Amino acid sequence: MNQKIAKSASRDFIYSVLALMVYNGVLQLVIYPYLNSHMGAEAFGTVLYLISVISVMGASFGSGASYGRMVAKAQRTQTNGDYNIFLWMIAGISVVVSLVTLVVLHEFRIGLYLQLLVLMVISVFRYYSDVQYRMTIRFKEYFIFYTAIAAGNLLGIALYPISRSWSLTVFMGEFLAVLYTFFSGTIFRKPYFEKSQDYKQNMHAVWVLSSANLVSALILNSDRLLIRTLIGAQEVTIFYTATLIGKIVAMLTTPLNGIIISYLTNYKMKFTRKIFAGVCGAMLAVSILASGVCTFISWYFVKIMYANVFEAAKPYFLLANAGQIFYFISGSLMVVVLNFTKEKYQLYINICYLIVFVAIVIPSILMFGLSGIAWGLLITNIARFIIVMVVGFKFIR
C-alpha cells in the first residue's frame, strides 16, 4: 500500500510541477518581459504593485478557503454553499480594497478601479478553484487547470497591441481557469448557498487560515508594496528582477504543498519527530543549494530578459533569491505542521513572523533602501523557518 501511495504521489508531483512550470514559464518568460519592454520600467513597476495587491487577496482568502475545505474534508461535513458564501463576502471586501489601493497610489480613475476590482474578485475565485483537484487527488486535471491560465495569459498578450491593457492579459488567464473548473468540477455547482451542519466551524477555520495567509501574503509581496510606496516605481522592477529566479524555483514548493496536504488528509500516514527532523534538515540543505543556483542563473536570465535594469539589479541577486527560497521552504514546512495542530497555530506563527518583519524589514528599508529590504527579508524568512520548526517539534510525537 505504501509503494502504491508513493507511486501515486510521485506521479501527482510531476503533474503539479509541470503545471507550475507551464504557468510560471509563460508568466516570467513571455508576459512580464513583454509588458516591461512595452510599458517601461516605471509603468511596469506600478503594474507589479497592483498585481501584488491582487495576489495578496487571492493567496489570502482564495487559498484560505481552499486549505480550509481540505482540512474540513478530513474532519467535518462541508458543502459548496459554505465556501461560496465566504467567497462572496470577500468580493464585497474587494470593493473597498480596490478603492483604497488606488487612492493610496493617487491613481484613482473609474476605469482602472473597475478593472482592478474585477481582477481581484476573479483571482480570489481562481485561487480557491484548485481545491477541486487537490481534494479529489486529480492532479492531471490540476495540470490542465494551470495550462488554462497560461493559455489565457498568452491570448491576452496577443491582444495587447489592440487592447493596450495589461489587466486583460491577467483577466483572460484567471477567467479561463475558473471556467474550466466550473465545467470539469463540482465546487461551483448547485446548491450554491446551502450551508452544512458544520458551517460555523468551517467558517471559523477559513477565517483563521485566511488571516494567517494574509500576514504571509503581505510579507511575500512586501518588496513590491513597500518599495513602490517608500522609494519608487522603477525600483519595484529592479528588485523584482533580482528576486525573479528565486521566486520561479521556489514556486515548485506550491505543488509540493498540494501533494502534502492531499495525501495527509486522504491517508493516515505516520509522521514522527525523527522523520520531521529529517525533513527540516533536507529543506535547509535544499534552501542553501537553491540560493546559490538561483544567483548564478540570475546573472544570465536577467541580463537577457530585463537588460534595462540588469546593472541596477545584480548587487541584490544572492540576498534577494535566498530570501525567496527560505520563505517558500518554510511555507512547505508549515503545511506539514498544520496537519498536526489546530488552524489557530498557523495564525500564531504568522503573527510572530509579522512582529519580526515589522521590527527588521521596515526600519531596514527606511535606512538602507533596496539593500536594507534584501537583508531584512532574508533574516525574517530564516526566522520564520526556525519558528515553524520549533512548533513542529512541540506537536509532532
Side-chain angles (χ1 to χ4, degrees):
M1 182 64 181
N2 288 336
Q3 286 184 340
K4 185 177 179 181
I5 293 174
K7 185 177 179 180
S8 296
S10 298
R11 183 188 65 244
D12 292 337
F13 180 72
I14 290 171
Y15 273 127
S16 298
V17 169
L18 288 174
L20 270 294
M21 284 179 65
V22 169
Y23 169 62
N24 282 293
V26 167
L27 203 63
Q28 308 298 351
L29 297 177
V30 180
I31 308 303
Y32 285 174
Y34 181 91
L35 292 175
N36 175 63
S37 64
H38 284 73
M39 301 179 71
E42 185 167 352
F44 182 59
T46 298
V47 168
L48 287 174
Y49 176 92
L50 295 176
I51 290 175
S52 288
V53 176
I54 293 166
S55 296
V56 166
M57 292 297 291
S60 300
F61 301 103
S63 293
S66 177
Y67 277 93
R69 188 160 191 176
M70 288 295 299
V71 173
K73 181 179 183 294
Q75 301 175 359
R76 301 180 292 271
T77 61
Q78 36 80 31
T79 64
N80 290 347
D82 291 352
Y83 301 93
N84 287 336
I85 291 170
F86 174 78
L87 293 174
W88 284 108
M89 287 180 186
I90 303 307
I93 293 172
S94 297
V95 172
V96 178
V97 174
S98 300
L99 177 63
V100 172
T101 298
L102 294 179
V103 169
V104 168
L105 277 184
H106 305 290
E107 294 277 354
F108 181 80
R109 300 185 299 278
I110 189 65
L112 182 58
Y113 170 70
L114 292 175
Q115 292 174 53
L116 183 61
L117 175 59
V118 170
L119 282 179
M120 198 172 288
V121 173
I122 194 72
S123 291
V124 170
F125 275 81
R126 194 271 289 175
Y127 273 86
Y128 167 70
S129 296
D130 71 4
V131 74
Q132 176 67 65
Y133 313 108
R134 294 188 294 109
M135 187 168 60
T136 53
I137 317 185
R138 291 155 53 191
F139 284 93
K140 185 176 181 179
E141 292 180 41
Y142 181 87
F143 169 74
I144 299 172
F145 172 79
Y146 274 96
T147 302
I149 303 175
N153 290 155
L154 288 172
L155 178 59
I157 215 69
L159 295 172
Y160 186 84
I162 301 171
S163 68
R164 309 301 297 177
S165 174
W166 65 269
S167 59
L168 180 65
T169 301
V170 177
F171 174 80
M172 291 301 296
E174 306 292 82
F175 176 73
L176 285 184
V178 174
L179 191 66
Y180 172 72
T181 303
F182 177 81
F183 285 109
S184 68
T186 59
I187 61 171
F188 293 129
R189 299 295 179 86
K190 294 179 180 180
Y192 297 119
F193 300 109
E194 181 180 293
K195 299 177 182 179
S196 72
Q197 64 184 25
D198 292 318
Y199 170 76
K200 289 185 178 180
Q201 287 178 279
N202 291 338
M203 286 304 95
H204 174 75
V206 168
W207 279 109
V208 169
L209 287 170
S210 294
S211 299
N213 285 347
L214 179 60
V215 174
S216 185
L218 282 170
I219 295 175
L220 174 62
N221 290 277
S222 63
D223 51 353
R224 303 182 198 180
L225 301 177
L226 288 174
I227 292 169
R228 176 62 178 81
T229 304
L230 300 177
I231 304 178
Q234 185 169 334
E235 286 77 8
V236 175
T237 303
I238 291 168
F239 197 77
Y240 165 76
T241 57
T243 64
L244 184 53
I245 299 300
K247 287 181 185 290
I248 293 173
V249 172
M251 285 295 180
L252 294 178
T253 64
T254 301
L256 178 61
N257 293 351
I259 297 292
I260 290 170
I261 195 167
S262 292
Y263 280 84
L264 287 177
T265 55
N266 282 280
Y267 300 99
K268 292 182 178 180
M269 303 176 71
K270 189 176 181 181
F271 213 90
T272 64
R273 280 187 175 179
K274 185 176 181 180
I275 294 173
F276 184 68
V279 169
C280 292
M283 285 185 170
L284 181 60
V286 167
S287 299
I288 295 170
L289 177 62
S291 298
V293 172
C294 291
T295 301
F296 177 77
I297 295 173
S298 293
W299 278 84
Y300 297 94
F301 181 84
V302 175
K303 192 170 186 178
I304 294 170
M305 304 302 293
Y306 295 90
N308 59 329
V309 295
F310 172 74
E311 291 297 327
K314 68 182 182 181
Y316 310 109
F317 284 159
L318 178 59
L319 294 175
N321 282 308
Q324 295 300 313
I325 297 295
F326 272 98
Y327 174 87
F328 281 97
I329 289 294
S330 61
S332 294
L333 202 60
M334 191 179 297
V335 170
V336 174
V337 173
L338 179 62
N339 283 273
F340 300 93
T341 65
K342 294 182 178 179
E343 292 91 347
K344 64 182 180 181
Y345 284 99
Q346 184 174 352
L347 179 58
Y348 296 160
I349 289 169
N350 280 345
I351 288 173
C352 293
Y353 180 39
L354 178 62
I355 292 170
V356 175
F357 175 87
V358 171
I360 295 176
V361 176
I362 294 179
S364 296
I365 190 174
L366 290 172
M367 290 188 290
F368 305 110
L370 291 184
S371 61
I373 196 171
W375 274 107
L377 287 174
L378 175 58
I379 294 168
T380 301
N381 289 329
I382 290 174
R384 183 194 193 209
F385 181 85
I386 294 170
I387 292 168
V388 176
M389 188 169 59
V390 169
V391 173
F393 279 114
K394 177 176 175 61
F395 286 99
I396 295 173
R397 302 298 178 185

